């Protein structure tokens, strides 16, 4: 009887997620807010609380985070990461300063303490690459001159995650300064070692994993990822960081093949993760935090616009392209929920879950709107002030052949029937 109830519950969840994904695709928006709302409906205090399948959903959610980070790592080669660090780090510093600090300040003003401040800083810092990749495609901006600037900022955020996640993992575990320093040193050492091995022996590693048989390739890559993630978590680093490093170590045809095979699994388990996050958020706890969450969403939407504008200006992009870059970066989503989920699991701040849910719901809806309308609104305001902004050399589409390849957009958004879903 228990197994029958489990199959009915879990089957209903998967079917519901598929229908929600189709609904979102029909109206061309991210399904993430729908998945979060579904979790709220099935959780404690919701319309139909789960029972038998909740433990399996928890395991599926953990696998979802691991696959999100693995697919993220598959998007890059080690040389790409090193190149981005060398050329775009000023934009990364501005991004961190303008967008992480408001979250930290908000947590302190709410009286949540320094650990929650570090967590909320990450929630407000990281943009949703899944939503952004989809918006760029929907608006036909893949070839625009500002698009590489947007992608560079997203890449730098991914790199920062490899350092940030071990830090908050140590903080949430409540370890002392010495133990936390050791944890961070191990994480940085492992990340540096993996980057070195990927640069020096990437082809050998990929050749070892490679297989012409899709079944064997899937088993080896998935097994290796789960194994490394488990070892990383045992070392109190982060299972997600371990998966990210596995993705970086693989390159070429192996990475492309693994990306194709794992995308459906990623979409399935990542959707389960968003539902699981909603399950642990009581809908009744959202109204008390909706106003501060909305205020923080407005502030950090403006700071993201400022970040994109500054980075595009530094790259020599015209005024219109600067506003488009800023508006496109506003959306938050998958990694904000991942970060908040760590805090919720550790029991650091009971209100962190509902606050992050409300915050992400606001910005994942507003993000596509700011991407579309920030530049026209800025042009209208300029005209009203009598200072028209003529087209500059950096505005508009790039030359043919210079558009970045978003065909493999990978790790963030989870959308039924859609191939565009993540960082690039």
């Amino acid at each position: 009887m228990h197994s029958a109830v489990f199959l009915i519950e879990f089957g209903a969840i998967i079917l519901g997620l598929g229908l929600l994904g189709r609904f979102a695709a029909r109206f061309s928006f991210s399904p993430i807010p729908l998945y979060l709302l579904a979790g709220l409906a099935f959780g404690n205090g919701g319309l139909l609380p789960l029972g038998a399948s909740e433990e399996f959903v928890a395991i599926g959610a953990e696998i979802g985070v691991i696959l999100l980070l693995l697919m993220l790592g598959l998007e890059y080669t080690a040389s790409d990461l090193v190149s981005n660090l060398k050329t775009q780090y000023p934009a990364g510093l501005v991004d961190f300063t303008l967008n992480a600090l408001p979250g930290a300040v908000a947590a302190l003003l709410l009286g949540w303490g320094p650990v929650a401040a570090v967590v909320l800083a990450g929630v407000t810092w990281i943009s949703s690459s899944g939503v952004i990749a989809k918006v760029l495609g929907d608006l036909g901006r893949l070839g625009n001159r500002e698009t590489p600037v947007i992608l560079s900022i997203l890449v730098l955020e991914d790199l920062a995650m490899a350092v940030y996640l071990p830090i908050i993992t140590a903080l949430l575990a409540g370890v002392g300064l010495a133990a936390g320093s050791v944890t961070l040193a191990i994480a940085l050492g492992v990340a540096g070692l993996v980057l070195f091995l990927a640069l020096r022996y990437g082809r050998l590693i990929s050749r070892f994993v490679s297989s012409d048989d899709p079944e064997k390739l899937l088993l080896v890559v998935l097994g290796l990822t789960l194994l490394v993630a488990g070892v990383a978590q045992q070392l109190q680093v982060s299972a997600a960081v371990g998966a990210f490093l596995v993705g970086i170590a693989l390159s070429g045809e192996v990475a492309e093949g693994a990306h194709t095979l794992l995308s459906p699994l990623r979409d399935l388990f990542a959707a389960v993760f968003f539902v699981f996050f909603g399950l642990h958020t009581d809908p009744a706890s959202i109204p008390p935090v909706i106003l501060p969450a909305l205020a923080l969403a407005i502030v950090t939407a403006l700071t993201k616009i400022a970040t994109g504008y500054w980075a595009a200006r530094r790259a020599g992009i015209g005024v219109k392209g600067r506003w488009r870059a800023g508006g496109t970066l506003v959306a938050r989503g998958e990694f904000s929920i991942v970060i908040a989920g760590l805090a919720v699991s550790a029991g650091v701040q009971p209100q962190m879950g509902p606050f992050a849910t409300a915050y992400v719901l606001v910005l994942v809806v507003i993000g596509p709107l700011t991407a579309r309308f920030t530049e026209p609104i800025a042009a209208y305001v300029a005209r009203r002030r009598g200072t028209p902004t003529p087209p500059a050399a950096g505005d508009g589409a790039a030359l043919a052949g210079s558009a970045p390849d978003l065909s493999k957009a990978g790790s963030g958004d989870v959308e039924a029937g859609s191939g565009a879903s993540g960082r690039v």
Side-chain angles (χ1 to χ4, degrees), residues 88 143-150 308-326 375 390-398:
Q88 299 295 338
N144 279 23
R145 295 185 185 276
E146 74 273 6
T147 298
V149 175
I150 296 170
Y309 187 96
W310 183 90
R313 180 181 180 182
R314 177 176 177 267
I317 307 299
V319 175
K320 291 183 178 180
R322 298 172 198 173
W323 286 116
R324 288 194 295 266
E375 184 263 319
D395 286 329

Side-chain angles (χ1 to χ4, degrees), residues 247-276:
I248 291 175
L250 301 178
S251 61
E253 293 182 1
V254 172
E256 294 179 7
H259 189 283
T260 301
L261 292 171
L262 289 169
S263 289
L265 281 178
R266 185 273 319 280
D267 291 346
L268 168 63
F269 285 107
V272 170
F273 165 74
F274 292 118
V275 171
F276 177 74

